[in-house]
Amino acid sequence: RASIVRCVFAPFVLATMVAAVGTAAFGARFGGAVYLEDTQATVRNCRLIANHADNGGALYAYASAATVEQCVFESNSAKDEGGAACFAAGGSFTFTGNTLAANSAGTHGGAVSVDDAAGTLAQSDFSNNSAGGQGGALGANLRGTGAELGDV
């Protein structure tokens, strides 16, 4: 099985979608519902529920410019990092107005993991997320990227 949405090199907008019980394809390991690579994307007003991957249980953005707004991430899980979402590899992100509940990660970032990506995370509600290591809600390795947190 592949991720529900896989986007590589093509800008797109994904709006008002429910993605439930997705699992990243064997070998892909990233983004149980949505995988972004080297692209510009907006994910808006979506419900991402009970998805699983090694990294980015519901959404994984690799070297992408991702905007995620007004979405619900619930009961997603990652074997390693970013139970709900993971932003990585020099990409950028805007993550606003989202609700994240009961997501989990094996190592860090029970809800969201930011690994070498710049962006803003604001006006989002986090509840009952957990990680086996650091950051039950948010795990971040910013390396001077300029990420900001506000009204979380």
Side-chain angles (χ1 to χ4, degrees):
R1 288 185 289 191
S3 296
I4 294 168
V5 175
R6 178 179 163 87
C7 182
V8 180
F9 302 119
F12 80 100
V13 174
L14 179 63
T16 316
M17 176 190 84
V18 175
V21 197
T23 302
F26 178 76
R29 299 187 354 227
F30 305 103
V34 178
Y35 176 78
L36 308 173
E37 181 179 337
D38 293 318
T39 192
Q40 181 176 355
T42 298
V43 179
R44 179 183 304 121
N45 195 31
C46 294
R47 294 179 52 83
L48 303 164
I49 303 165
N51 298 286
H52 178 76
D54 286 358
N55 297 283
L59 181 144
Y60 189 87
Y62 178 86
S64 293
T67 298
V68 181
E69 52 193 25
Q70 305 301 318
C71 292
V72 173
F73 292 84
E74 185 177 337
S75 301
N76 299 289
S77 62
K79 177 182 170 191
D80 296 319
E81 62 180 291
C86 184
F87 302 96
S92 63
F93 66 94
T94 301
F95 194 86
T96 57
N98 299 295
T99 300
L100 300 101
N103 299 288
S104 63
T107 58
H108 64 277
V112 176
S113 175
V114 178
D115 189 3
D116 195 24
T120 301
L121 190 153
Q123 299 171 346
S124 294
D125 295 321
F126 291 79
S127 63
N128 300 316
N129 299 287
S130 62
Q134 298 93 8
L138 173 67
N141 183 355
L142 304 177
R143 298 186 189 108
T145 59
E148 297 179 20
L149 301 177
D151 297 325
V152 179

